[in-house]
Amino acid sequence: MPQTARRIVRARTPEAEDGRRRQIIEATIDEIAAVGFAQTTLAGIAGRAGISTGLVAFYFTDKGGLLEATLRHLAAGLGALVSEGLRAARSPRARIQAVIDANLGECQFERRIATVWLAFWGEVTVMPRFRRVQRVYERRMISNLKAGFRGFAGPDAAQRLAEATAAMIDGVWLRATLSDRPLDSAAARATVSAFVDAQLALLALALVAPAPPRTRP
């Protein structure tokens, strides 16, 4: 085999392919953070990655495919953090905390990453391919939270508590990232943790409270 051909074959190994895709996705994150979602182009991404626009299109076909892959990359990274925390959890409350800590961890408050998440969520209502990713992300968060709350309540109550906690996580993160103040991961986690503890305390009171006296008909 000629030397040039051998170089091409080596460059197209699965490891090299994955490395090239990650390089392009990281350049996409940088481009969105720098110029915004609407102004992001394949040419701009290619320039940041130091490759040709044609090579970007070869790996991702078009801008929509690349942006979806970038969103999936961010969601997969977050999912890996959640899974890591859940594996270390030794109690139902710890499982809940693992979800909180992953979703409101320091890396999720990095300005570069937060800007890109905000850009994607702004497009969810008009981009079905982004909406599909968001729904999977949301279902997994609620499912993981519900599994933790099932240690304290029945399925219906656990579902309601999971949905409320997911709303708190998203709301606290959104409020923090839209604020002019420095992003504070620890404060965000403390806020949601306090909410969960308050809900569990109310649940415990409801479980031990005596039933109201029955009145005669």
Side-chain angles (χ1 to χ4, degrees):
M1 180 183 294
Q3 185 176 358
T4 301
R6 287 199 298 270
R7 284 201 299 268
I8 293 174
V9 170
R10 285 198 295 269
R12 294 291 299 277
T13 63
E15 293 79 8
E17 297 275 294
D18 289 344
R20 180 67 77 185
R21 287 175 180 274
R22 286 195 298 273
Q23 176 191 6
I24 296 171
I25 286 172
E26 288 297 326
T28 303
I29 293 172
D30 289 338
E31 185 72 1
I32 294 173
V35 305
F37 192 91
Q39 300 303 315
T40 293
T41 63
L42 291 184
I45 293 166
R48 285 185 180 274
I51 59 178
S52 68
T53 303
L55 191 57
V56 175
F58 170 78
Y59 280 103
F60 295 98
T61 305
D62 56 18
K63 178 181 175 181
L66 173 54
L67 295 177
E68 181 182 1
T70 302
L71 178 55
R72 290 186 181 278
H73 171 78
L74 292 175
L78 178 53
L81 291 175
V82 173
S83 297
E84 181 181 352
L86 291 175
R87 285 194 296 269
R90 295 295 179 264
S91 68
R93 181 63 183 84
R95 289 183 63 85
I96 298 169
Q97 194 63 45
V99 179
I100 296 170
D101 290 345
N103 282 273
L104 298 176
E106 294 287 350
C107 60
Q108 302 305 318
F109 282 85
E110 180 189 345
R111 179 59 70 180
R112 166 178 171 266
I113 298 299
T115 300
V116 176
W117 273 120
L118 284 172
F120 276 119
W121 294 152
E123 299 295 318
V124 162
T125 58
V126 296
M127 296 286 287
R129 59 172 62 189
F130 295 170
R131 188 160 58 249
R132 286 192 294 269
V133 178
Q134 190 272 338
R135 285 175 176 169
V136 171
Y137 154 84
E138 181 180 16
R139 284 196 298 268
R140 286 177 179 169
M141 183 197 291
I142 292 175
S143 176
N144 287 325
L145 288 168
K146 183 178 179 180
F149 281 115
R150 284 290 282 118
F152 304 95
D156 292 342
Q159 179 72 24
R160 290 194 297 271
L161 288 168
E163 291 176 355
T165 304
M168 280 289 296
I169 290 171
D170 288 342
V172 167
W173 180 86
L174 182 62
R175 184 179 179 86
T177 53
L178 292 177
S179 172
D180 292 333
R181 299 177 182 177
L183 301 181
D184 191 340
S185 169
R189 283 180 275 128
T191 297
V192 180
S193 297
F195 169 80
V196 168
D197 288 336
Q199 296 303 306
L200 293 178
L202 289 173
L203 183 63
L205 286 174
L207 291 175
V208 301
R214 298 178 65 180
T215 57
R216 292 180 179 274

